[in-house]
Amino acid sequence: MPRQYSMGGRAAPGASAPTGGGPRGTPPPPAPKNLRERFSALRNLPPFLRELWRAGPGLLVADVALRIVRAVLPVATLYVGKLIIDEVVSLLRAGGAFDSPAAALASGHFDRLGLWLGCEFGIAVLSDLCGRVVSLLDALLSERYTNATSIRLMEHAATLDLEDFEDSEMQDRLDRARRQSAGRSALMGQLFGQAQDAVTVLTFAAGLIVYAPWLIVLLLFALVPAFLGEAHFNAQSYTLNYAWTPERRVLDYLRQAGASVETAKEVKIFGLNAFLIERYHALAERFYAANRALAKRRALWGSAFAAMGTVGYYIAYALIAWRTVHGEFTIGDLTFLSGSFRRLRNLLENLLIGFSQLAGQALYLDDLYSFFEIRPEIHSPAQALPFPRPIRSGFVFEEVGFRYPGAERWAVRGLSFTLHAGEVLALVGENGAGKTTVVKLLARLYDPDEGRILLDGRDLRDYDLDALRAHIGVIFQDFVRYAFSAAENIAVGRIDARGDRPRIEHAARQSLADAVIRRLPKGYDQIMGKRFSAGVDLSGGEWQKVAIARAYMRDADLLILDEPTAALDARSEFEVFERFKELSAGKTAVLISHRFSTVRMADRIVVLEAGRIEEVGTHAELLATQKRYAELFELQASGYR
């Protein structure tokens, strides 16, 4: 039964699709509605720290240790400064004139002052050194994290079903996850910076509590409104970016369409540049307007909250000065307290605002972790069967029906036929008849919604999924043109044999791609396509020969060619299929083509119409029935008369 994405699977027939529901696993995280929900995103920090630990435990330990050292240095600097000022005031009160600096130093009166100056110099050097090393460690750890997360994302994406990637909402989630895998490295520096500032705040607060604990209360009163305001606007920013994910994908697509080698010819020939620029500009301006409105509100309220903090600081400064005049504090105490209060105010403001920003950044981790929670529906069973070698009886379709997620029309329904072992079966039909869907079902890129497919008498779902796909060689008409070397473009058919050059060249000779590749400047080592500067592109027909070589590289038990010669001229098509007929001897094969000169070589032909089987037979038998196949054959033949 057709299914629609939701919490656990697909929905009932008739459910609308691309806009409704979400990919399997957990639903996409909703935008936060209140302060508690906004800060609940901090639950993402423990798994984030665990991933940092896995990425580089030694780097993480060294980074944290150095940050702890850096955290206490500002307090130490300020306190040593207080001691220096008090010592200078003491020397001034003691009087005493010296003829020269040498005489003053020799008197011993300045020994303590020299000690404190030396301490402050040492702290300054240590602080600078720690800062540079921490920056280095941050950069290295960030790179390790980004690489590890990107690999994990690709590994997880490889486990998902094809229908996941054909769902627009899934594309949004994948796009957000991809951005977070590379964009959350800044969160690491922010998180560690917050922890470092927290330690510094505690040391400054300890000093203030000794002298004037009421200053802490005044600070909190001045800073809490700024913290709450920042928390609110961080959540608003996340909500805006979340809501605009589809539009951002459109912007990325328009950028690609307006300036890429794949579209350059048509953009120039059809004069599409103005159209693409206009559409991009209109959408970008809407996004800019939404961001601008939020930025204005944030700046307005942020200025008001900052002013409150400034007022609080100067009230405290005036009180400290008054108590110094009355002899309660020394000049050094005044310097230490005013400096501590100023630093503590800035640190607390940054800490509270940073904490809010940290919660905002952690919200984005929902996009990454929710993607990792998506689970495929198509997988190997617990007691999976090995793929049968050789295939004994073949594949049997029993009343198979399938409908793409969200589609109202069945792609195929009621299909019942047998693909015998060692048989070449051709699928014929007009566009949309269901030919490619049959291929996807055979390769278990999808599972039937109705009926079942048997392989040697056992349900296809009983077999090990990886083994099944490893023994099927499929070349789709929309095959991928990889920006790899020519050898690697063939080796993707059996990527674990990419170092086996004789096997690669043998596959190329079988598909007639060898002659094409040997004309390239670097032969099999030539980078293909125009994406990179050293790349060389091929014609459509030449690319198809390379793609067909992937099927021969696989040495599969079941060969499937979906419109494999669409870009080939008549002579090349004849040569390719003569070779295919020779090389597929003894193998099971499925051939999809609109050219009847090609399909007539098949042992049997299945004619599909609107997802149902209309005719089955040999070329001669189908011509004799004078039905759909004969009609289509006659229409094509008349074009050559």
Side-chain angles (χ1 to χ4, degrees):
M1 177 174 289
R3 296 163 292 181
Q4 182 187 17
Y5 290 140
S6 64
M7 281 288 291
R10 296 158 153 179
S16 62
T19 57
R24 295 180 303 274
T26 58
K33 298 180 180 63
N34 54 48
L35 193 63
R36 182 184 60 81
E37 290 184 10
R38 293 164 191 163
F39 285 103
S40 69
L42 293 173
R43 70 185 182 280
N44 292 320
L45 294 183
F48 176 68
L49 288 171
R50 286 194 294 270
E51 291 188 15
L52 285 175
W53 175 262
R54 287 193 292 267
L59 293 172
L60 182 60
V61 169
D63 199 325
V64 171
L66 283 177
R67 284 184 178 276
I68 292 174
V69 173
R70 289 190 73 197
V72 300
L73 292 181
V75 181
T77 300
L78 205 56
Y79 188 74
V80 170
K82 162 198 154 34
L83 296 176
I84 290 173
I85 291 173
D86 282 345
E87 185 64 25
V88 169
V89 171
S90 175
L91 289 172
L92 289 173
R93 288 175 178 171
F98 299 97
D99 295 332
S100 65
L105 292 174
S107 69
H109 289 81
F110 290 87
D111 289 351
R112 183 176 297 176
L113 179 61
L115 174 63
W116 299 137
L117 287 171
C119 286
E120 188 170 283
F121 172 76
I123 292 172
V125 171
L126 180 60
S127 178
D128 180 69
L129 180 61
C130 287
R132 294 179 184 277
V133 176
V134 163
S135 296
L136 173 63
L137 293 174
D138 279 354
L140 296 176
L141 188 56
S142 172
E143 191 71 21
R144 292 294 298 271
Y145 168 78
T146 298
N147 292 341
T149 308
S150 298
I151 289 172
R152 183 185 173 194
L153 186 144
M154 289 188 287
E155 289 175 342
H156 185 69
T159 69
L160 302 182
D161 300 333
L162 179 60
E163 70 176 78
D164 290 325
F165 292 95
E166 294 180 344
D167 178 74
S168 60
E169 187 173 305
M170 168 65 184
Q171 289 296 319
D172 290 342
R173 295 181 71 175
L174 177 58
D175 183 68
R176 288 193 294 266
R178 190 183 296 115
R179 291 176 188 273
Q180 302 325 311
S181 67
R184 291 308 96 202
S185 57
L187 176 62
M188 180 198 71
Q190 188 172 19
L191 176 61
F192 291 167
Q194 286 286 97
Q196 177 182 319
D197 287 347
V199 175
T200 306
V201 163
L202 291 175
T203 55
F204 271 127
L208 284 182
I209 288 172
V210 171
Y211 286 96
W214 50 269
L215 292 175
I216 302 296
V217 177
L218 184 60
L219 269 175
L220 293 177
F221 178 78
L223 296 176
V224 166
F227 165 66
L228 296 177
E230 191 67 22
H232 171 75
F233 285 110
N234 279 331
Q236 291 289 307
S237 179
Y238 171 77
T239 302
L240 177 65
N241 280 290
Y242 183 94
W244 272 79
T245 300
E247 287 80 0
R248 289 174 65 169
R249 283 205 303 118
V250 173
L251 288 172
D252 289 342
Y253 171 75
L254 291 172
R255 269 193 296 265
Q256 176 71 13
S260 71
V261 64
E262 291 85 1
T263 61
K265 293 193 294 292
E266 289 202 2
V267 168
K268 289 181 177 296
I269 292 296
F270 298 140
L272 299 179
N273 59 311
F275 163 75
L276 293 171
I277 292 171
E278 179 183 356
R279 177 163 291 188
Y280 179 89
H281 178 72
L283 187 56
E285 281 297 307
R286 286 172 50 205
F287 193 27
Y288 169 75
N291 273 305
R292 181 180 59 190
L294 178 60
K296 284 182 176 179
R297 293 196 303 272
R298 189 170 196 158
L300 177 63
W301 286 102
S303 298
F305 293 142
M308 292 177 62
T310 302
V311 169
Y313 166 70
Y314 279 101
I315 290 174
Y317 195 11
L319 291 173
I320 295 170
W322 174 258
R323 295 183 67 174
T324 302
V325 170
H326 279 260
E328 297 179 46
F329 297 143
T330 66
I331 299 297
D333 292 336
L334 170 65
T335 305
F336 175 72
L337 286 173
S338 61
S340 294
F341 190 86
R342 183 177 65 253
R343 292 291 300 274
L344 190 56
R345 176 238 173 172
N346 292 336
L347 279 170
L348 273 174
E349 183 176 357
N350 291 336
L351 192 64
L352 291 175
I353 292 175
F355 181 73
S356 172
Q357 291 174 342
L358 194 64
Q361 293 291 323
L363 277 171
Y364 289 94
L365 286 174
D366 276 338
D367 298 327
L368 183 63
Y369 294 150
S370 68
F371 175 77
F372 288 142
E373 291 172 2
I374 300 171
R375 293 292 177 262
E377 285 186 347
I378 298 176
H379 51 77
S380 298
Q383 301 296 326
L385 297 174
F387 188 88
R389 301 202 76 183
I391 299 174
R392 293 182 296 277
S393 59
F395 296 82
V396 178
F397 279 61
E398 293 184 347
E399 292 297 321
V400 170
F402 175 77
R403 181 164 59 185
Y404 288 98
E408 296 185 2
R409 186 176 69 86
W410 290 83
V412 295
R413 199 171 196 189
L415 294 188
S416 294
F417 68 92
T418 299
L419 171 59
H420 299 290
E423 179 184 35
V424 177
L425 183 73
L427 300 178
V428 174
E430 297 178 357
N431 291 334
K435 303 183 297 297
T436 299
T437 300
V438 171
V439 170
K440 292 177 179 178
L441 292 170
L442 270 174
R444 276 205 79 195
L445 295 174
Y446 290 98
D447 280 336
D449 294 317
E450 293 180 345
R452 60 178 184 164
I453 303 172
L454 305 179
L455 169 57
D456 285 353
R458 296 295 299 268
D459 195 303
L460 206 59
R461 286 170 280 209
D462 293 338
Y463 290 95
D464 181 82
L465 183 61
D466 291 335
L468 173 69
R469 291 177 179 170
H471 291 93
I472 297 178
V474 185
I475 300 300
F476 292 104
Q477 56 182 319
D478 56 346
F479 61 86
V480 180
R481 306 181 183 196
Y482 295 98
F484 301 156
S485 69
E488 289 169 332
N489 261 283
I490 294 173
V492 296
R494 178 70 72 181
I495 196 62
D496 55 349
R498 61 188 178 277
D500 189 346
R501 181 58 67 86
R503 180 172 179 170
I504 293 172
E505 294 181 1
H506 179 64
R509 287 193 295 271
Q510 289 178 307
S511 71
L512 305 179
D514 181 66
V516 174
I517 294 172
R518 293 198 178 280
R519 290 197 299 269
L520 298 175
K522 296 182 180 179
Y524 282 87
D525 296 320
Q526 178 65 54
I527 296 297
M528 309 289 282
K530 289 294 187 180
R531 182 175 295 273
F532 303 116
S533 60
V536 173
D537 209 359
L538 302 178
S539 68
E542 290 171 333
W543 265 113
Q544 282 197 307
K545 290 180 180 179
V546 171
I548 293 171
R550 296 169 187 168
Y552 294 131
M553 179 75 185
R554 202 164 186 79
D555 190 26
D557 295 87
L558 172 62
L559 286 173
I560 303 175
L561 301 185
D562 183 358
E563 289 290 343
T565 60
L568 295 178
D569 57 56
R571 180 183 296 277
S572 296
E573 179 191 32
F574 176 78
E575 292 174 348
V576 165
F577 277 103
E578 280 294 307
R579 183 63 60 88
F580 176 75
K581 187 175 182 180
E582 173 188 336
L583 295 173
S584 63
K587 292 182 179 292
T588 307
V590 175
L591 178 62
I592 298 176
S593 179
H594 287 98
R595 296 183 182 180
F596 290 89
S597 58
T598 296
V599 301
R600 65 190 304 169
M601 62 158 281
D603 299 315
R604 283 190 308 139
I605 301 168
V606 174
V607 182
L608 296 172
E609 174 65 21
R612 296 182 181 273
I613 295 178
E614 190 162 321
E615 299 177 81
V616 179
T618 65
H619 174 71
E621 290 170 348
L622 294 177
L623 285 181
T625 62
Q626 292 297 305
K627 293 183 180 179
R628 170 72 65 175
Y629 182 85
E631 176 190 352
L632 294 174
F633 180 82
E634 181 60 28
L635 283 173
Q636 191 171 108
S638 64
Y640 292 96
R641 292 174 184 151

